[in-house]
Amino acid sequence: MKISEFKDLHIAIVGGGYGGAAAAIALKSIGAENVHVYEQAPAFGQVGAGIGLRPTTVELFRQWGIFDAVAAVSSPSEHLEIITADGGHVIVQEEWPMLHGYAQTNHTRIIHRGDFIDALFGALPAKMVHVGYKLTGIADEGTTSTLTFENGETVTADLVIGADGIRSLVRQQLFSDKAPVFAGEHAYRTVISMDDAFDLVTDDNPRFFVAQNGTVAYNLPLRHRNEVSYDITARSEDDTWAPVITNEYLVSLLEGFDERVVNVARTLDISKVTSRSVYDIDPIDVWHTNSVTLLGDSAHAMLHHQGQGANSAIQDAGALADALLEAGSVPEALALFQATRKPVTDELQRLSRLGWTPESAENAFPEQTPAN
Ligand SMILES: Cc1cc2nc3c(=O)[nH]c(=O)nc-3n(C[C@H](O)[C@H](O)[C@H](O)COP(=O)(O)OP(=O)(O)OC[C@H]3O[C@@H](n4cnc5c(N)ncnc54)[C@H](O)[C@@H]3O)c2cc1C
């Protein structure tokens, strides 16, 4: 499509997470001006934890003109290290794929989730962003779709992007009513001062301590904040959304782990730990109509073992903008978008379900081409 054809196209994005924010930035970067993000919460926010933004994702930030804003609040990492739980043996230490795959070196950027959402929304004009808009219904009318919000407002748009996360209403109403799938795991996440990390962090690279029973304790250094994101994932049959835990319980999960990992669990402020049951979704067959598409977790929520959910949501945003430029119409663009991204995310969903064991470490780097 020519820029003149989508400059005034009315684009409504449901959900102000990484996927929704990135979609708005990507579309703005190609010349779309009538783009609006509708978020249910009264303000944008993310849990206190770190995340790794991979080189392919970082290249998009350069394209969109937001690299400096992201780099200012993140630390560069060159490689990922996977080691045995006791810290005694390095299973894999590998450079990030595509680190040198572009004109400029793109390190993986380790960032605090809150800083990242702030950086994304800082790149959008206020008129594009609407908080306190909880979607309650969507009617697909063919070339347009109409959104109904809990606050009584309705919006009719030429293109609706359902970036409303793993429990997406857009997905449930138009594409699949299958519920998210419990992985039989909990994730416990917090951010602590480096001063309280018992010398666990020795450089800027994420380190994953992996036990035979699938428990993994990983840390992502946030050196620019003098902090480290400390995360544990462990098996549990309790599928309540926010399980209640204690320091003693965390320590009990870490039998045989490196003493530094155990010491952090013993001493951290448990009131600052985000405790969540872990879910994904089964791949869905179709994620678009002629005027609606899913994007990010709503389309392909995956387990966090590959660290690819947010990266995928952002790469979806880049692919959707590319598809609009390349295709002749919105319906063609949405079909091209799904054809480009679904094979990649289907595979990531599959790999993520393999979980974490020392033997599965070889799956840590599925990206081999720039398309991934
Ligand atoms: C423990 C854990 C660790 C992870 N680690 C990593 C990692 O290291 N790297 C990585 O790439 N990914 C990681 N992920 C995955 C990543 O967090 C998600 O894939 C990513 O946040 C998805 O972004 P999204 O924008 O698609 O969805 P979300 O972040 O869920 O955003 C959806 C937004 O839509 C809004 N919304 C929902 N319903 C409505 C409605 N009805 N109306 C209006 N708004 C609505 C929500 O409030 C939310 O703001 C991890 C996930 C977990 C659980």
Side-chain angles (χ1 to χ4, degrees):
M1 289 171 76
K2 297 190 188 72
I3 292 176
S4 58
E5 291 173 297
F6 57 73
K7 179 170 162 289
D8 296 320
L9 199 71
H10 186 175
I11 303 175
I13 300 172
V14 183
Y18 301 137
I25 293 169
L27 294 168
K28 178 171 158 283
S29 79
I30 60 166
E33 293 180 2
N34 194 6
V35 179
H36 296 270
V37 181
Y38 298 96
E39 164 60 38
Q40 64 182 356
F44 299 103
Q46 290 282 337
V47 298
I51 200 168
L53 300 169
R54 295 189 174 212
T56 305
T57 304
V58 171
E59 181 64 16
L60 290 172
F61 299 154
R62 291 192 192 276
Q63 279 181 29
W64 301 339
I66 63 167
F67 173 80
D68 289 346
V70 174
V73 290
S74 61
S75 293
S77 159
E78 289 190 346
H79 65 253
L80 172 71
E81 189 170 288
I82 302 171
I83 53 184
T84 51
D86 63 2
H89 171 61
V90 176
I91 302 165
V92 176
Q93 193 207 71
E94 198 159 321
E95 191 176 89
W96 293 105
M98 302 304 294
L99 183 79
H100 301 294
Y102 302 95
Q104 298 177 74
T105 299
N106 287 333
H107 290 94
T108 284
R109 308 294 313 193
I110 310 296
I111 195 165
H112 187 285
R113 296 176 75 104
D115 291 347
F116 183 37
I117 202 72
D118 288 350
L120 291 176
F121 278 104
L124 287 171
K127 66 176 185 189
M128 287 189 175
V129 177
H130 311 272
V131 293
Y133 278 72
K134 178 173 182 172
L135 185 78
T136 53
I138 176 167
D140 186 335
E141 293 128 0
T143 53
T144 59
S145 288
T146 299
L147 305 173
T148 306
F149 295 96
E150 196 176 61
N151 60 15
E153 296 212 22
T154 59
V155 170
T156 298
D158 305 306
L159 169 57
V160 170
I161 300 171
D164 48 345
I166 187 169
R167 295 176 199 281
S168 166
L169 186 73
V170 178
R171 185 183 71 241
Q172 287 170 46
Q173 292 207 340
L174 296 184
F175 300 103
S176 166
D177 58 5
K178 280 169 79 176
V181 181
F182 177 49
E185 285 181 340
H186 289 175
Y188 313 111
R189 294 177 280 175
T190 192
V191 172
I192 60 170
S193 167
M194 288 276 189
D195 304 335
D196 300 327
F198 294 90
D199 296 325
L200 191 55
V201 178
T202 51
D203 59 24
D204 284 340
N205 299 302
R207 191 160 287 126
F208 286 59
F209 297 81
V210 182
Q212 285 291 346
N213 66 0
T215 300
V216 56
Y218 60 97
N219 53 79
L220 296 99
L222 298 158
R223 197 172 285 269
H224 55 286
R225 294 170 59 119
N226 193 39
E227 290 179 332
V228 55
S229 180
Y230 175 91
D231 303 55
I232 298 170
T233 301
R235 303 289 308 166
S236 174
E237 296 312 314
D238 169 13
D239 65 356
T240 51
W241 175 240
V244 177
I245 51 158
T246 62
N247 293 78
E248 293 71 32
Y249 179 69
L250 291 185
V251 170
S252 75
L253 298 173
L254 296 172
E255 197 178 329
F257 272 72
D258 186 304
E259 197 55 26
R260 295 168 299 172
V261 176
V262 181
N263 281 336
V264 172
R266 187 173 289 123
T267 54
L268 55 72
D269 180 350
I270 203 75
S271 70
K272 296 203 172 125
V273 175
T274 304
S275 166
R276 289 280 181 275
S277 291
V278 180
Y279 288 82
D280 69 357
I281 61 170
D282 291 327
I284 54 174
D285 295 335
V286 177
W287 68 37
H288 74 92
T289 65
N290 284 341
S291 59
V292 182
T293 186
L294 302 177
L295 179 147
D297 271 13
S298 67
H300 47 62
M302 57 189 72
L303 302 183
H304 61 294
H305 301 126
Q306 290 276 333
Q308 290 273 23
N311 282 280
S312 295
I314 295 156
Q315 289 171 31
D316 283 356
L320 180 59
D322 288 348
L324 278 168
L325 283 173
E326 198 177 324
S329 65
V330 169
E332 278 177 41
L334 299 185
L336 177 60
F337 167 59
Q338 177 179 311
T340 307
R341 290 297 297 158
K342 192 166 150 46
V344 178
T345 58
D346 280 355
E347 177 63 0
L348 289 172
Q349 285 181 292
R350 187 188 72 77
L351 286 174
S352 300
R353 282 188 171 172
L354 298 180
W356 274 108
T357 63
E359 289 72 31
S360 70
E362 66 195 36
N363 296 314
F365 295 107
E367 307 117 309
Q368 296 304 336
T369 68
N372 293 334

